[in-house]
Amino acid sequence: MNIKHNEIEIEQENPFANCKLNRQKYSGVLTNIIKSYPYGFVLGLNNKWGTGKTTFVKMWEQDLKNSGFQTLYFNAWENDFENNPLIALMGELKTLTTEDTEPEFKNTLKKASTLTKHIVPILIKAIADRYIETEGIKEAIVGVTKGLSETFENEVHEYDKKKKSISDFRHGLSKFITNTNEGKPLIFIIDELDRCRPNYAVSLLEQIKHFFSVPNIVFILSIDKEQLGNAIKGVYGSDDLDAEEYLRKFIDLEYSIPEPGADIFYKYLYDYFQFDEFLQSPERLNSYELTSDKSIFLETCKLLFTNAQVPLRQQEKIFAHSRLALRSFTSNMYVTPNIFLLLTFVKIRNNDFYEQMKSKNLSISEVQESFLALIKININDDTERQLMWLELSLVNAYNNYIQDGYNRKPLYERDGETGKNKPLISSIINKEADNETMNIIEGIKHSRREGDLDLSHFTNKIDLLEDLKT
């Protein structure tokens, strides 16, 4: 049994063979864009954190290689220990050298060294200006001492050297790329840019723009633009900075991979983490009351992950933790999959809410409000009753937990006039549906699988406080 989701294997001949999100068609679209603009540009691949960008770009990279493109993959987050991105970028380019192109690369590298000499002190001082208040310390860091004899003429000469350094570097780089790519643009993929140190991310963007804007390089920036925008605002010390406009200076074309269908990923994770080994085991299938556990589990997945739009990476964590916690149940024990999965979902998505319930710090209405806020309900005729049942099951387990045995405060009472039961709470999903609320509460209370179970029955196992049995 897997305890975590391993990195997906990318087959060389068929890179998307193991893609579970049906994304191969987007690889074809993007490759055709590159073929349409081979001279070079910067593409921003913009999707939220945890949506599978890294897996996609690695599959796409192999697909590009299979189409005859030279590619480089650079994980900016793993390399932001290096203060100067130019060093790291040139290090990646070095991997393309052959015996024939080695002299040209060495020539380009020498020009990069000259460029670094003239440009990097200025970049370092600009960063120091933001974090260090003592001018003397800043000057010492960058090795800049402005003597009284410094003249305007020297400044003009330095300006000319800087411009020439950039021009020489670009010319040498362009020549090296032309001799390397056999008529096709070099594809340079920059991944995890939004997870870097903010000043490193900004410096990397600036150097791509000013130093690497040469023919026949296509840069692919795999980013969460919102997070990268926040980093840019931090570096420039202004929440009022228009990060969107700032990024337009660097990104020529933006593309977002469409979200996968709602049912695709959680069904894949269910199989990957082998839930059937427990939920569909022969021992459990011998008990009529437990035979519906799989369908209830998957229906609850659909409710939670469709409504809350949970990032794929968090879905993985929820499934991995659920599968591990499931080992605390014996083969004939009630799992009550809807509550078990919901509480695992809450623990991963909003641990404060989870801990407050365990500490008995919330009223019933506060539990309902937090439930509503967390799963961002999309209520319609198909989901209303299911969501009400999920909400009221949580309320029942919590109410059983905060009350003492036979002194529990009931969720309903008998109406003296009509002789029928009436609810003492309203559903936050539909506050006007008292009859439906009462029907659901009665259904829960009459169910052996959850009527008398309290929150601790689930949280002790989710928190791994009991021995693993299966």
Side-chain angles (χ1 to χ4, degrees):
M1 186 196 79
N2 296 306
I3 197 172
K4 68 176 183 176
H5 190 275
N6 296 320
E7 191 169 320
I8 293 175
E9 181 183 354
I10 299 173
E11 297 181 8
Q12 184 173 342
E13 296 301 319
N14 187 4
F16 285 88
N18 297 318
C19 178
K20 306 302 178 181
L21 304 178
N22 300 326
R23 286 177 164 175
Q24 184 170 8
K25 56 187 174 183
Y26 308 121
S27 170
V29 170
L30 291 169
T31 299
N32 284 332
I33 291 173
I34 290 173
K35 289 177 179 177
S36 300
Y37 300 97
Y39 185 75
F41 61 96
V42 177
L43 169 69
L45 195 61
N46 175 36
N47 285 88
K48 293 290 186 183
W49 175 88
T51 55
K53 291 192 302 296
T54 292
T55 299
F56 173 79
V57 297
K58 286 183 176 180
M59 289 179 173
W60 181 31
E61 181 193 17
Q62 184 59 54
D63 204 29
L64 286 165
K65 289 178 179 178
N66 293 348
S67 298
F69 287 92
Q70 287 265 30
T71 69
L72 290 173
Y73 175 84
F74 178 71
N75 188 309
W77 181 50
E78 291 179 354
N79 290 280
D80 72 353
F81 60 84
E82 172 57 60
N83 286 327
N84 181 10
L86 182 60
I87 294 172
L89 294 176
M90 291 302 295
E92 296 296 327
L93 283 170
K94 188 178 188 300
T95 64
L96 298 179
T97 57
T98 64
E99 186 176 344
D100 292 335
T101 61
E102 179 74 21
E104 189 61 52
F105 179 78
K106 287 184 176 179
N107 186 41
T108 305
L109 195 61
K110 182 181 289 188
K111 291 171 181 175
S113 175
T114 304
L115 179 65
T116 301
K117 176 182 176 182
H118 289 300
I119 301 297
V120 170
I122 297 170
L123 296 177
I124 295 174
K125 188 173 189 297
I127 293 170
D129 282 338
R130 302 193 181 283
Y131 301 105
I132 303 173
E133 295 180 358
T134 306
E135 185 65 29
I137 296 176
K138 287 187 290 188
E139 298 295 346
I141 289 176
V142 299
V144 177
T145 53
K146 292 188 177 181
L148 295 176
S149 62
E150 188 175 62
T151 65
F152 180 73
E153 183 180 356
N154 289 336
E155 292 286 348
V156 172
H157 286 316
E158 280 300 308
Y159 172 78
D160 187 55
K161 288 179 183 177
K162 292 166 194 170
K163 285 191 67 176
K164 189 175 186 307
S165 294
I166 296 174
S167 177
D168 288 347
F169 173 76
R170 282 179 172 173
H171 178 75
L173 180 63
S174 179
K175 189 175 179 182
F176 171 69
I177 297 298
T178 299
N179 294 332
T180 300
N181 66 358
E182 298 181 357
K184 291 185 177 180
L186 168 67
I187 314 300
F188 207 137
I189 299 169
I190 310 289
D191 196 13
E192 305 273 27
L193 188 59
D194 44 83
R195 298 180 69 187
C196 297
R197 287 182 289 110
N199 55 345
Y200 184 84
V202 170
S203 181
L204 184 56
L205 282 173
E206 295 280 359
Q207 292 193 20
I208 289 172
K209 175 69 175 178
H210 296 299
F211 305 156
F212 288 82
S213 293
V214 300
N216 300 316
I217 297 186
V218 173
F219 277 97
I220 312 296
L221 306 181
S222 178
I223 58 173
D224 178 340
K225 194 166 69 170
E226 182 180 354
Q227 295 304 317
L228 184 57
N230 291 335
I232 291 166
K233 289 179 181 179
V235 169
Y236 284 93
S238 173
D239 288 335
D240 297 327
L241 176 73
D242 189 341
E244 182 88 17
E245 186 62 33
Y246 177 88
L247 285 171
R248 284 198 189 100
K249 296 190 304 180
F250 306 99
I251 298 173
D252 300 304
L253 179 66
E254 185 178 314
Y255 188 89
S256 295
I257 308 167
E259 292 288 327
D263 293 350
I264 293 176
F265 198 58
Y266 72 76
K267 288 181 178 178
Y268 158 69
L269 291 174
Y270 180 92
D271 292 337
Y272 181 86
F273 286 107
Q274 303 171 344
F275 277 82
D276 272 354
E277 284 190 1
F278 181 83
L279 296 179
Q280 296 283 283
S281 67
E283 295 84 1
R284 294 185 72 80
L285 292 179
N286 282 334
S287 174
Y288 175 77
E289 288 183 307
L290 306 179
T291 56
S292 59
D293 278 4
K294 176 179 180 177
S295 62
I296 293 172
F297 186 92
L298 290 173
E299 287 168 6
T300 306
C301 285
K302 185 171 185 177
L303 280 178
L304 294 176
F305 298 135
T306 301
N307 279 281
Q309 297 180 335
V310 185
L312 303 184
R313 197 168 295 172
Q314 281 202 348
Q315 289 188 39
E316 290 178 7
K317 288 183 178 180
I318 292 166
F319 269 84
H321 193 95
S322 295
R323 188 62 185 91
L324 180 60
L326 204 57
R327 295 183 62 192
S328 297
F329 291 85
T330 60
S331 60
N332 62 349
M333 191 179 291
Y334 289 121
V335 174
T336 319
N338 55 336
I339 299 301
F340 170 70
L341 180 61
L342 173 61
L343 287 169
T344 310
F345 178 94
V346 173
K347 180 181 177 68
I348 301 298
R349 295 277 285 168
N350 188 342
N351 192 56
D352 286 344
F353 174 31
Y354 182 82
E355 293 296 333
Q356 284 183 318
M357 284 195 291
K358 284 172 51 183
S359 300
K360 306 181 181 182
N361 288 335
L362 301 175
S363 65
I364 295 294
S365 62
E366 287 173 331
V367 169
Q368 291 175 290
E369 290 166 3
S370 296
F371 166 83
L372 182 66
L374 181 61
I375 66 171
K376 301 174 183 175
I377 303 288
N378 177 25
I379 303 170
N380 55 47
D381 292 340
D382 295 328
T383 62
E384 181 176 278
R385 192 171 194 276
Q386 291 176 299
L387 290 166
M388 288 176 65
W389 196 292
L390 191 61
E391 169 209 355
L392 295 170
S393 292
L394 177 64
V395 167
N396 177 68
Y398 183 70
N399 188 59
N400 290 345
Y401 180 61
I402 61 177
Q403 306 296 331
D404 294 324
Y406 294 105
N407 297 319
R408 287 174 182 163
K409 182 179 178 181
L411 297 176
Y412 64 93
E413 65 181 8
R414 185 167 294 278
D415 189 319
E417 296 182 3
T418 65
K420 296 181 179 180
N421 291 331
K422 66 177 182 180
L424 296 175
I425 62 170
S426 297
S427 167
I428 201 166
I429 304 300
N430 186 342
K431 295 182 179 180
E432 307 301 320
D434 282 352
N435 288 338
E436 187 66 20
T437 298
M438 190 64 247
N439 289 336
I440 292 173
I441 291 175
E442 287 179 329
I444 292 170
K445 283 300 183 182
H446 294 157
S447 168
R448 291 176 59 189
R449 71 163 64 231
E450 62 176 309
D452 291 326
L453 296 178
D454 69 40
L455 207 68
S456 64
H457 172 78
F458 306 99
T459 57
N460 286 344
K461 297 172 178 61
I462 292 169
D463 292 340
L464 307 178
L465 301 180
E466 298 183 6
D467 288 339
L468 303 182
K469 301 178 178 67
T470 59

